[in-house]
Amino acid sequence: MTTPDSDGLLAEQLLRLTRRVHRIQKHHLEQRGLGITPAQSRLLRTLAHWGSPPRMADLAERLEVVPRAVTTLVDALEASGKVRRVPDPANRRVIRIELTDDGRAALRELRSARRSAAEEILAPLTEEQREALGGLLDTLIDGTPARSC
């Protein structure tokens, strides 16, 4: 049985781990010299999951940020040649955002940097511990209790 105090400790541990993950990912991004911030990285990853270029409002909704924040991110990524604004074929007043070839190359580098960061973070764990952690994280992400084996 957990006590409120132990729940507080778990919450603090999760927050510290999250900060460590962000710090290590940022370090791996900087080492690769991509010139991409973590927020820009998140936008590129989100953009890559669309079958066709989304509207700025769609990106804002998916990223759970205000549209102005997406505009700032897109401006910077467009200036670096990683995305471009394109008119919607059905409505010229609507602008869509698409990845460029440079953006796709940056995504490959980002994925590699994230894998390196994950390897660094998970290095102290055995394979069995990694499997257990994966199951626990799935439970927390899904928000449903784990099934007993």
Side-chain angles (χ1 to χ4, degrees):
M1 175 178 258
T2 62
T3 64
D5 194 40
S6 67
D7 287 343
L9 176 61
L10 283 173
E12 180 61 28
Q13 287 174 311
L14 285 171
L15 290 172
R16 287 175 51 210
L17 176 60
T18 300
R19 283 188 217 110
R20 181 168 184 246
V21 167
H22 285 283
R23 191 173 54 251
I24 289 171
Q25 284 184 346
K26 184 177 179 184
H27 174 73
H28 281 268
L29 284 175
E30 288 169 355
Q31 279 185 321
R32 291 170 188 267
L34 293 173
I36 295 175
T37 67
Q40 291 169 347
S41 169
R42 185 170 173 235
L43 186 138
L44 286 173
R45 289 190 323 270
T46 301
L47 189 55
H49 287 11
W50 251 283
S52 61
R55 299 174 307 137
M56 299 268 266
D58 298 329
L59 283 169
E61 184 178 324
R62 178 80 53 93
L63 293 168
E64 298 178 347
V65 298
V66 296
R68 177 71 190 123
V70 171
T71 300
T72 301
L73 293 171
V74 168
D75 286 347
L77 289 168
E78 186 175 39
S80 68
K82 295 183 178 49
V83 301
R84 70 177 145 253
R85 290 173 166 91
V86 294
D88 184 305
N91 183 347
R92 292 186 326 213
R93 293 176 296 167
V94 174
I95 299 296
R96 295 190 175 269
I97 308 304
E98 70 179 10
L99 282 171
T100 63
D101 289 341
D102 284 351
R104 282 185 276 286
L107 266 174
R108 287 190 293 277
E109 282 293 317
L110 290 168
R111 287 182 185 118
S112 179
R114 290 182 67 164
R115 277 192 301 277
S116 296
E119 288 170 12
E120 181 178 335
I121 291 164
L122 298 173
L125 301 180
T126 65
E127 189 59 38
E128 185 177 285
Q129 289 172 321
R130 288 176 188 214
E131 286 181 28
L133 178 61
L136 292 169
L137 290 173
D138 282 343
T139 299
L140 292 174
I141 291 166
D142 295 342
T144 56
R147 293 181 293 196
S148 299
C149 296

